[in-house]
Amino acid sequence: MSESLQVLRSHARQIWHAGVEAANAGRLVEDAVGRRGAWIRFGDLHMRLAEIDSILVVGGGKAGAEMSAGFERSLGERIPRRLPVRGWVHVPDRSVRRLKTIHLHGARSRPDNRPTASGVEGTRRLGEMLDGATRRDLVVCLLSGGASALLPAPVPGVSLAAKRRVTTLLHRSGASIEEMNAVRKHLSWLKGGGMVRRVKGGRIVSLIVSDVIGDRLDVIGSGPTAPDPTTFADAVEVLRRHRIWSISPLPVRRVLQAGVAGARQETLKRLPARVHNVVIGNNRTALEAAAREARRLGYRVVRMPTSVAGEAGQAGAQLARMASRVRDRGDPVRPPACILSGGETTVRLGRTTGKGGRNQELVLAALCWLQEDGLQGIVLLSAGTDGEDGPTDAAGACGDRNLWRRAASRGMDPGALLARHDSYNFFSPLDGLLKTGPTGTNVMDLQVVLVGAPG
């Protein structure tokens, strides 16, 4: 590998890690929770400590372990010891560890967004804790991306197997997170404001690390403490639009049809004054930190004007086109340049599929668009800030001209691998995968494209 490409690859990873580090969920919680005299602060919200008898901490998400640890650190430093605290938070199995007051419940053993039996049982116990909350108790919900799958609470009439089946169908159809959650909220007693209904009169504060474009409260974790603008009819329309209504489990269709007919209660539509939702971190948090690091390293920074969404392959081609313009025409900035973007794409799977994730597919699509000659002086990296990318052990991938050449020397066909969504098996033998393990946060994906090394 040439020296300049080595520098670019190293810098791309350094910039990506700076963005992820800035969005560390534990520190975001510590920054959000404070105390001054007789008051406790959650973001801009202030409450009198004397009005609180105990604190009940619940929630879930891929960042749940770090959020819980950060909250405990805040309690230890800023909250009187006389205030009892107990908690139950759902996290991926590999994030489970012992904390002082909050129990971390493992609800998912693999990088798979389908609900599990452990998640259902844990959510039942979480519901029992909510049932016991009094008017003078404060319920703190720690919410981050992944909570929809980690907190499964099927409504009566829908089995875990049925929920898993419809979740799989939605994934394979390329449904957006908004569409998926419209369905999941109407099959759950917890989502779509269901947690608010379960707490009879007590105050609720949700500290939220956002993993969705626009920080929509009804979409993050399927909105357990937020009003839901979608309806049973919307959920039915999502399944019909993606042509999976007829093959969805019969119990799912019956519940949704009953809701359309008015025989089931709709999700929460108005938020009571006793509930407060506070977004403490999002994709912008990571992007701003990544931009600072890129400038420190000597790059001119340009950020994509909108969040990356839609098909991963199309997003990869768009980033490739911009990198080419920057290198060849200095438009909109001259090299050395760093193009930053963030968001979350989808992959619409066909009949024949390989192994991969949306970030790996985005980078492979960009490489295929540029080809060997077009890759001169360019490095592209895309990875999930949570350390996951689809059902793989990688966070994403990084590609450049030398990686493309190594693929050619092995007789690999990048276009064919892209067509069957087999990006993992393209990058893995070429040492192009980015593997981080759990990062402690989840603020969607972050793309770093470098054009020309400084100096």
Side-chain angles (χ1 to χ4, degrees):
M1 180 182 289
S2 68
E3 183 177 349
S4 62
L5 279 180
Q6 284 182 332
V7 171
L8 286 173
R9 285 179 69 91
S10 175
H11 282 179
R13 291 174 181 248
Q14 191 171 333
I15 292 165
W16 184 86
H17 280 290
V20 172
E21 184 66 18
N24 178 275
R27 283 195 295 275
L28 291 176
V29 169
E30 288 186 87
D31 290 343
V33 179
R35 179 192 175 195
R36 176 170 293 181
W39 296 82
I40 182 173
R41 173 183 63 82
F42 298 94
D44 294 331
L45 173 69
H46 293 76
M47 293 183 178
R48 285 187 178 275
L49 284 166
E51 297 175 354
I52 303 170
D53 284 348
S54 68
I55 297 178
L56 174 61
V57 184
V58 296
K62 296 177 184 178
E66 284 297 321
M67 294 183 79
S68 298
F71 191 72
E72 283 198 346
R73 289 193 294 269
S74 296
L75 295 179
E77 298 172 3
R78 303 162 192 172
I79 309 300
R81 292 187 178 182
R82 64 171 177 78
L83 197 61
V85 178
R86 59 194 176 99
W88 186 282
V89 175
H90 284 213
V91 299
D93 290 4
R94 59 180 177 172
S95 297
V96 171
R97 61 181 186 266
R98 185 180 295 277
L99 299 179
K100 294 179 181 179
T101 59
I102 301 172
H103 171 75
L104 298 180
H105 178 75
R108 194 198 71 180
S109 60
R110 298 183 300 171
D112 183 343
N113 283 325
R114 294 182 299 171
T116 66
S118 176
V120 172
E121 172 58 21
T123 307
R124 182 190 65 78
R125 296 185 63 175
L126 183 149
E128 292 174 350
M129 294 178 68
L130 294 175
D131 292 340
T134 70
R135 289 184 175 274
R136 287 183 56 84
D137 290 334
L138 172 63
V139 176
V140 176
C141 178
L142 304 178
L143 195 64
S144 60
S148 291
L150 289 165
L151 289 166
V155 296
V158 175
S159 67
L160 172 61
K163 282 204 71 173
R164 285 177 62 87
R165 174 60 178 162
V166 75
T167 302
T168 299
L169 290 172
L170 286 164
H171 271 295
R172 292 185 65 86
S173 70
S176 68
I177 186 65
E178 292 84 0
E179 291 174 320
M180 289 189 64
N181 285 357
V183 176
R184 290 192 285 197
K185 283 183 283 190
H186 289 89
L187 300 174
S188 168
W189 63 258
L190 180 76
K191 300 174 175 65
M195 184 180 290
V196 175
R197 286 177 169 155
R198 197 72 181 246
V199 179
K200 308 299 183 185
R203 285 171 293 181
I204 302 174
V205 174
S206 276
L207 300 179
I208 301 169
V209 176
S210 171
D211 71 326
V212 302
I213 295 172
D215 301 338
R216 284 182 51 185
L217 299 177
D218 63 296
V219 178
I220 305 166
S222 294
T225 61
D228 177 30
T230 70
T231 64
F232 280 102
D234 293 328
V236 171
E237 173 59 25
V238 167
L239 297 178
R240 291 191 185 280
R241 185 184 312 130
H242 289 283
R243 300 180 180 179
I244 56 176
W245 170 258
S246 62
I247 58 175
S248 294
L250 181 59
V252 167
R253 285 180 282 155
R254 283 176 173 168
V255 165
L256 296 181
Q257 287 173 325
V260 172
R264 283 184 175 263
Q265 185 181 32
E266 258 292 357
T267 48
L268 186 73
K269 302 306 177 190
R270 298 184 63 181
L271 195 67
R274 61 188 175 88
V275 182
H276 304 274
N277 293 296
V278 183
V279 176
I280 61 174
N282 53 23
N283 191 251
R284 185 171 60 253
T285 306
L287 280 170
E288 290 174 352
R292 288 194 297 271
E293 180 66 8
R295 292 188 183 99
R296 188 188 72 80
L297 291 171
Y299 294 92
R300 300 180 181 90
V301 175
V302 57
R303 282 171 53 175
M304 296 292 280
T306 59
S307 297
V308 173
E311 283 284 332
Q314 295 175 6
Q318 182 182 12
L319 279 172
R321 285 192 293 270
M322 176 169 276
S324 183
R325 288 201 308 272
V326 168
R327 183 195 57 199
D328 299 338
R329 303 201 299 268
D331 175 25
V333 297
R334 293 180 290 106
C338 174
I339 303 168
L340 292 175
S341 64
E344 190 164 296
T345 60
T346 58
V347 176
R348 190 180 298 276
L349 298 175
R351 292 181 178 273
T352 303
T353 60
K355 182 178 180 181
R358 59 182 180 265
N359 289 286
Q360 297 160 58
E361 178 141 331
L362 185 152
V363 177
L364 181 53
L367 295 178
C368 288
W369 192 91
L370 288 165
Q371 301 286 315
E372 181 179 343
D373 291 341
L375 280 165
Q376 185 172 357
I378 294 174
V379 167
L380 306 104
L381 183 153
S382 181
T385 57
D386 56 359
E388 294 183 358
D389 188 30
T392 74
D393 60 354
C398 183
D400 57 28
R401 191 181 194 184
N402 283 348
L403 183 137
W404 183 272
R405 286 175 171 172
R406 292 200 303 275
S409 70
R410 290 170 176 252
M412 300 174 73
D413 186 345
L417 289 164
L418 178 63
R420 66 172 181 262
H421 309 290
D422 203 12
S423 52
Y424 185 94
N425 289 316
F426 173 80
F427 289 107
S428 182
L430 303 173
D431 194 28
L433 294 172
L434 182 65
K435 296 184 179 182
T436 65
T439 62
T441 192
N442 184 13
V443 290
M444 297 191 286
D445 302 331
L446 181 60
Q447 290 84 36
V448 180
V449 181
L450 299 183
V451 184

